[in-house]
Amino acid sequence: MRIEFYNGNVASAEGAIHAGCKFFAGYPITPSTEIAEHMALRLPQVGGVFIQMEDELASMAAILGASWGGVKSMTATSGPGFSLMMENIGLGAMTETPCVIVNVQRGGPSTGMPTLVGQADVMQARWGSHGDYEIIALSPSSPQECFDMTIRAFNLAEEYRVPVIILMDESVAHMSEKVMIPDEKDIKLVERKKASVPPSEYLPYKADDFVPEMACAGEGYNVHVTGLTHDEKGYPQATSPEVQEKLVRRLCDKIRENEEKIRDIEEIEMEDAKIALVSFGISARSCKSAMKKARKDGYKVGIIRLKTIWPFPEKYFEEISEKVKKFIVVEINYGQIKLEVERMVGRKKVVLLPKMGGDIHKPEEIYGKIKEVHNGN
Amino acid sequence: MEIEGEHHPLDEYLRADRIPHIWCPGCGLGTVLNGFLHALEETDIDLKNLAIVSGIGCTGRIAGYINVDSYHTTHGRAIPFATGLKLANPKLKVVVISGDGDLFAIGGNHFIHAARRNIDMTVICVNNYNYGMTGGQLGPTTPLESKTTTTPYGNIEHPFNLCHVAHASGAVYVARWTALHARRMKDSIKEALNKKGFSFVEIIASCPTTYGRRNKMPTGLDTMKYYKEKSVIKHGIEPEKADIEIGGEIIVGKFVDIEKPTFNEEVEKLIRRFHK
Amino acid sequence: MRREIKFGGFGGQGIILMGNIVGKASAKYDGKNAVFTPSYGPEARGGAASSNIVIDEEEIDYPYVTKPDVLVVMSQEAYEKYAPSLKDDGILIIDEDLVHLKNGVGRVAKIPSTRIAEKLGKRIVANIVMLGFFAGVTKLISYKAIRKAVLESVPPKFKELNEEALEKGYKYGIKWREE
């Protein structure tokens, strides 16, 4: 184990290296650029390839190609680039290609506030590409979590054969903190299931437990991979509603049915909490400051910190809403996760404490909102 | 459809269970596929290590008919996908086969940058002067004055000269043929496949259903006759002098064949600095 | 106890590096928690730059500096911009040749850091002189820790120079404390 002092971007890049990432394709964009820079420095040292592409469309396409070439691959971007990636995130979901995308969120919409914080890409991460699909998105609150979660993102991508998004924010990306880097032997890595039968018996999109075995290029399986609706053989069946039904259900259910396994929530002081602050990323840290002060002053308040944002922990909220009276959703946008919480616990129980971007919540504003909600205003 | 006792010499290259293909009668794509497979047969490429990548469109469907690892990606993105594939697994021979709209309109930026980087891959562009799959719209290579469904009064845009674009962007091998030049096309594809670096072959091919019909070449045969009448072989000519104009001559041949280090070689050099 | 520190100057003075070194020194070598956040204008050189560090033995939740306990400024612009935010009992540390004080603010520690650096042969180490001074004046980080952090943050061939710069500044700081 060694201790480093890294910012979130560098920690995430190091996490990728420790997860065995061997390919990075990206396009420079503030506030994510340090990830590309660090990967450019590190990948040749570990026998990997870094390439700066002509845009984010290409970056996303390239990491899918690299994943089919048999290696773990990653890209990093911010809002405007994330928008361009949506096309091939859809291809990744459809072709079930493991890969990791870091989106360091800044203030939007459009070019917005390139150097300042935002958390308004939450819904885009879930719904940004067209059609029905499910995705996994994680949200780190510290450089240490940037490191740990990047490794987890690769593991989840490999396990479920799905693009995994790390929804970082500018604050976490640019703050430096102590990061503990475990020894290699202490890092648990997951690898994609390889084809276990001979080519004559292999069906690239047949899945007994939701996730099919993956045969990459050059392994002798002559796999056809297409973004068209395809059958178990991988062949296009673009006019068959039956094939579409089966495929889309599986693409969604492999994540939905595993939500509890994927779920990662940090509960703080929730045992007796009547008010819960629901937050993620940098916002959760402001919540913690506010919660500590409120607890001292006798308010029964706790925190539900979403480390995994997608799939949304529906059952969790259903259950916890039985004991919590009010949920205050603290996020740097105009109400996105709030919609999800409302969906599960009902609109009456949810209060939004938004921020449009450019700055993070001050603990005092959150404290003020706790008092207000407690007093029934 | 299987005919008992019949065996085509190229059967082992095809996904026979996917035939018949979707292409129209008179389409040039069958000739291109045939030429490509014959070229392949004449190389030493191990099929296990061959990967075909395509984008979207009629040509994009070629990937699905060849019995190797094949990737039918998104519109315009075949080249960046192929770039990732090749860089992740350098032992692969990566071939991109796609259409003019896919490679040069929506995917144009990727083409020029892959050529500039000299990524080790072969790109075959089937140029049929229009968007066939969507019903015959204007494409980046549609000749001036041509009629398409989105240029009902005649095309007013200047078309790309693809070989000129490829050459100017840095491709190490550039050739153009029409679907009429079956043997020469095959030879060029073979050369391109054997070439290290970014090699490019343009094949002008008929699209009677959506282009020919509106431009006085209603059958595949009319188009072939047109190619026969207008094609002039000029090896080694400066690609910029090989513009295509409606009614004008079609200059074909091998225009560029040079050597320069590939991106892959540079990456390997870099990695060797840390792994001696 | 939570301590907030802000370094301010103009781009190119190494203000961001100063923050990084202080954060690294306390997190890696003093065994405390530290958060460092840079902020700089869109210009690479000449614009206003600041770096912010929070140090605490406890877990740090809110990561930003709002009312610094220590403000270190190396330009007039930074002084004017940040001095009002200094805590009432905070310490203001300045490069006395670059900052002219306008009105009385609490405790002030002055050093001609740029001049000292010039005497050492490289004006560019003014920030390291200032770091040494900061450590000596505030004792918020140990000399051992900041020395280690400086040495691992500078190019190998400039290690000696930087060490000398740090030491000069530190001694100047100790002297200030004694006075």
Side-chain angles (χ1 to χ4, degrees):
Chain A
M1 204 262 295
R2 63 173 214 272
I3 293 172
E4 295 291 351
F5 190 68
Y6 282 154
N7 70 26
N9 279 338
V10 172
S12 176
E14 272 303 316
I17 296 289
H18 283 78
C21 173
K22 287 288 190 292
F23 184 84
F24 183 98
Y27 186 83
I29 184 169
T30 306
S32 76
T33 308
E34 293 90 346
I35 299 179
E37 289 171 342
H38 197 74
M39 292 305 270
L41 188 76
R42 293 284 277 125
L43 274 171
Q45 298 172 1
V46 297
V49 180
F50 168 88
I51 185 169
Q52 185 170 317
M53 297 301 284
E54 52 275 15
D55 56 34
E56 289 88 349
L57 300 160
S59 304
M60 190 59 217
I63 70 164
L64 297 182
S67 186
W68 283 101
V71 306
K72 293 183 185 176
S73 63
M74 176 192 190
T75 187
T77 189
S78 186
F82 196 49
S83 292
L84 292 190
M85 287 179 184
M86 285 305 148
E87 173 192 64
N88 288 302
I89 287 176
L91 181 66
M94 185 62 144
T95 55
E96 300 179 70
T97 309
C99 59
V100 172
I101 302 125
V102 182
N103 174 12
V104 182
Q105 298 170 93
R106 62 194 221 185
S110 191
T111 315
M113 311 179 85
T115 61
L116 297 179
V117 67
Q119 289 180 332
D121 304 347
V122 173
M123 284 298 177
Q124 186 187 21
R126 171 66 187 85
W127 300 104
S129 200
H130 54 277
D132 267 323
Y133 64 101
E134 288 276 346
I135 206 97
I136 296 174
L138 315 177
S139 172
S141 290
S142 65
Q144 180 71 55
E145 281 190 348
C146 290
F147 178 87
D148 298 339
M149 277 191 194
T150 303
I151 293 174
R152 180 154 196 255
F154 275 98
N155 286 346
L156 291 167
E158 294 286 316
E159 182 170 359
Y160 294 104
R161 283 188 62 180
V162 68
V164 176
I165 294 161
I166 301 176
L167 272 177
M168 217 190 268
D169 51 57
E170 185 276 337
S171 292
V172 171
H174 279 162
M175 67 161 65
S176 297
E177 265 182 325
K178 193 184 293 185
V179 176
M180 281 182 275
I181 313 275
D183 295 335
E184 221 172 285
K185 62 170 172 40
D186 297 325
I187 298 175
K188 194 181 153 280
L189 297 182
V190 177
E191 309 294 332
R192 61 192 71 169
K193 274 190 291 183
K194 291 277 191 187
S196 62
V197 293
S200 58
E201 294 163 35
Y202 177 66
L203 289 170
Y205 286 98
K206 184 178 186 310
D208 299 326
D209 60 345
F210 290 120
V211 185
E213 296 175 344
M214 186 166 174
C216 293
E219 292 177 0
Y221 283 81
N222 296 349
V223 174
H224 182 60
V225 174
T226 176
L228 286 167
T229 294
H230 46 270
D231 57 21
E232 291 184 336
K233 233 173 161 176
Y235 286 2
Q237 298 292 350
T239 53
S240 165
E242 295 76 29
V243 173
Q244 167 80 354
E245 176 86 18
K246 197 174 164 197
L247 175 64
V248 173
R249 268 184 194 277
R250 186 174 60 75
L251 292 180
C252 293
D253 289 348
K254 74 174 172 182
I255 305 301
R256 289 183 189 178
E257 299 290 321
N258 284 304
E259 185 272 312
E260 278 176 65
K261 273 174 72 188
I262 298 165
R263 181 193 299 172
D264 190 2
I265 292 172
E266 186 190 13
E267 284 188 339
I268 311 165
E269 307 268 357
M270 282 301 294
E271 296 76 21
D272 62 344
K274 294 292 161 229
I275 296 173
L277 302 170
V278 181
S279 199
F280 53 93
I282 190 66
S283 309
R285 294 176 69 136
S286 298
C287 287
K288 222 164 163 184
S289 267
M291 186 271 290
K292 284 177 186 168
K293 184 170 166 18
R295 275 277 167 185
K296 262 187 212 149
D297 295 348
Y299 296 100
K300 286 191 170 164
V301 55
I303 297 176
I304 298 168
R305 179 163 77 94
L306 302 173
K307 295 163 79 177
T308 47
I309 291 190
W310 305 117
F312 193 73
E314 296 178 348
K315 276 187 219 146
Y316 170 83
F317 275 95
E318 251 170 21
E319 285 163 21
I320 200 137
S321 83
E322 282 169 22
K323 53 179 210 178
V324 174
K325 282 196 179 128
K326 284 276 187 187
F327 295 84
I328 303 174
V329 182
V330 182
E331 51 187 338
I332 307 174
N333 59 50
Y334 207 179
Q336 296 197 12
I337 278 299
K338 167 218 170 216
L339 296 172
E340 289 297 295
V341 179
E342 278 182 352
R343 191 165 66 80
M344 302 322 302
V345 308
R347 289 185 69 169
K348 281 185 186 154
K349 288 184 122 181
V350 181
V351 176
L352 174 67
L353 184 58
K355 193 159 278 289
M356 296 317 130
D359 197 6
I360 70 174
H361 293 81
K362 300 268 182 311
E364 302 80 62
E365 350 172 8
I366 302 171
Y367 180 82
K369 188 56 93 176
I370 294 168
K371 246 165 73 176
E372 197 184 302
V373 167
H374 177 83
N375 296 336
N377 300 319
Chain B
M1 186 175 65
E2 220 170 282
I3 304 168
E4 214 177 318
E6 292 286 329
H7 179 79
H8 190 276
L10 295 174
D11 273 358
E12 64 160 310
Y13 293 95
L14 292 170
R15 296 183 190 272
D17 52 353
R18 292 220 53 219
I19 307 291
H21 55 65
I22 64 158
W23 301 317
C24 307
C27 171
L29 279 164
T31 316
V32 176
L33 178 57
N34 199 41
F36 174 72
L37 296 180
H38 276 293
L40 203 55
E41 212 177 15
E42 292 178 19
T43 67
D44 298 329
I45 294 167
D46 178 1
L47 290 186
K48 194 183 155 201
N49 288 328
L50 176 67
I52 314 265
V53 185
S54 68
I56 299 297
C58 293
T59 313
R61 293 300 185 98
I62 280 189
Y65 298 131
I66 306 176
N67 193 23
V68 296
D69 290 318
S70 51
Y71 301 90
H72 179 224
T73 65
T74 40
H75 200 15
R77 319 298 167 219
I79 288 177
F81 186 99
T83 299
L85 198 59
K86 177 67 187 175
L87 294 178
N89 186 349
K91 74 173 199 289
L92 296 174
K93 176 74 211 176
V94 176
V95 181
V96 170
I97 310 179
S98 226
D100 48 278
D102 186 75
L103 287 169
F104 287 92
I106 191 166
N109 199 33
H110 310 310
F111 181 91
I112 62 178
H113 287 282
R116 172 178 66 78
R117 297 182 184 112
N118 201 21
I119 304 278
D120 199 0
M121 64 169 74
T122 297
V123 176
I124 299 171
C125 176
V126 183
N127 175 7
N128 64 7
Y129 295 167
N130 79 134
Y131 285 89
M133 188 166 268
T134 45
Q137 294 78 29
L138 168 78
T141 58
T142 306
L144 269 170
E145 297 167 28
S146 283
K147 294 216 165 132
T148 70
T149 59
T150 50
T151 54
Y153 308 111
N155 177 22
I156 54 173
E157 289 186 14
H158 299 274
F160 262 152
N161 167 348
L162 303 184
C163 290
H164 184 30
V165 174
H167 174 52
S169 307
V172 292
Y173 182 96
V174 179
R176 174 195 286 155
W177 298 103
T178 75
L180 177 75
H181 302 88
R183 186 177 51 80
R184 291 188 165 96
M185 172 217 308
K186 176 211 70 184
D187 289 343
S188 264
I189 293 174
K190 187 170 91 180
E191 279 186 357
L193 289 172
N194 287 329
K195 185 82 188 173
K196 193 166 54 98
F198 190 89
S199 54
F200 176 66
V201 182
E202 173 186 4
I203 299 157
I204 298 172
S206 51
C207 180
T209 309
T210 67
Y211 180 81
R213 199 152 59 85
R214 299 187 175 93
N215 292 282
K216 301 184 187 122
M217 288 177 276
T219 68
L221 195 60
D222 296 327
T223 316
M224 287 298 183
K225 280 180 185 156
Y226 178 76
Y227 294 159
K228 186 157 188 277
E229 195 184 309
K230 300 286 182 186
S231 300
V232 185
I233 299 175
K234 288 185 183 173
H235 290 301
I237 192 178
E238 286 281 316
E240 63 175 302
K241 293 180 184 141
D243 275 340
I244 294 171
E245 284 164 28
I246 198 164
E249 60 182 24
I250 304 170
I251 296 171
V252 295
K254 178 166 85 175
F255 305 139
V256 177
D257 192 350
I258 57 166
E259 303 292 326
K260 66 179 179 189
T262 68
F263 186 90
N264 295 70
E265 287 170 332
E266 296 299 326
V267 164
E268 276 161 36
K269 253 195 252 169
L270 189 56
I271 291 173
R272 271 203 304 276
R273 275 167 61 174
F274 300 98
H275 303 265
K276 283 180 186 121
Chain C
M1 192 166 121
R2 183 181 173 108
R3 292 288 181 186
E4 299 188 352
I5 305 150
K6 190 186 240 345
F7 292 93
F10 39 82
Q13 279 181 318
I15 300 294
I16 307 294
L17 182 68
M18 291 168 85
N20 194 16
I21 288 172
V22 171
K24 197 185 276 183
S26 40
K28 274 179 84 167
Y29 304 118
D30 271 345
K32 295 184 185 173
N33 292 306
V35 181
F36 154 63
T37 48
S39 73
Y40 31 89
E43 319 78 341
R45 293 285 179 272
S50 76
S51 50
N52 307 281
I53 304 96
V54 180
I55 300 176
D56 202 336
E57 290 78 16
E58 309 284 313
E59 190 183 11
I60 299 168
D61 300 320
Y62 186 77
Y64 291 135
V65 167
T66 47
K67 279 196 99 40
D69 298 276
V70 182
L71 173 64
V72 182
V73 283
M74 294 180 72
S75 77
Q76 190 66 26
E77 190 192 344
Y79 162 67
E80 280 168 23
K81 191 168 171 193
Y82 302 123
S85 68
L86 185 64
K87 246 184 212 161
D88 292 342
D89 58 346
I91 306 177
L92 174 68
I93 299 178
I94 62 169
D95 182 314
E96 62 186 52
D97 296 333
L98 299 176
V99 177
H100 304 286
L101 298 178
K102 287 198 163 161
N103 35 16
V105 236
R107 287 182 293 166
V108 182
K110 302 177 188 180
I111 182 172
S113 60
T114 311
R115 225 186 316 146
I116 292 173
E118 276 166 356
K119 272 189 201 147
L120 288 170
K122 279 240 182 269
R123 189 188 190 149
I124 195 150
V125 295
N127 62 339
I128 306 296
V129 175
M130 186 57 106
L131 271 185
F133 185 59
F134 159 81
V137 166
T138 66
K139 293 275 177 185
L140 284 176
I141 29 176
S142 67
Y143 184 71
K144 214 172 120 190
I146 194 144
R147 185 178 159 275
K148 270 191 181 169
V150 165
L151 293 183
E152 71 172 65
S153 305
V154 300
K157 63 173 181 174
F158 294 119
K159 277 192 176 167
E160 257 174 56
L161 173 68
N162 278 286
E163 197 168 359
E164 209 185 332
L166 186 76
E167 204 186 327
K168 277 249 154 66
Y170 185 73
K171 281 185 178 154
Y172 212 96
I174 296 293
K175 222 172 86 195
W176 181 88
R177 257 183 107 86
E178 285 162 359
E179 282 162 9

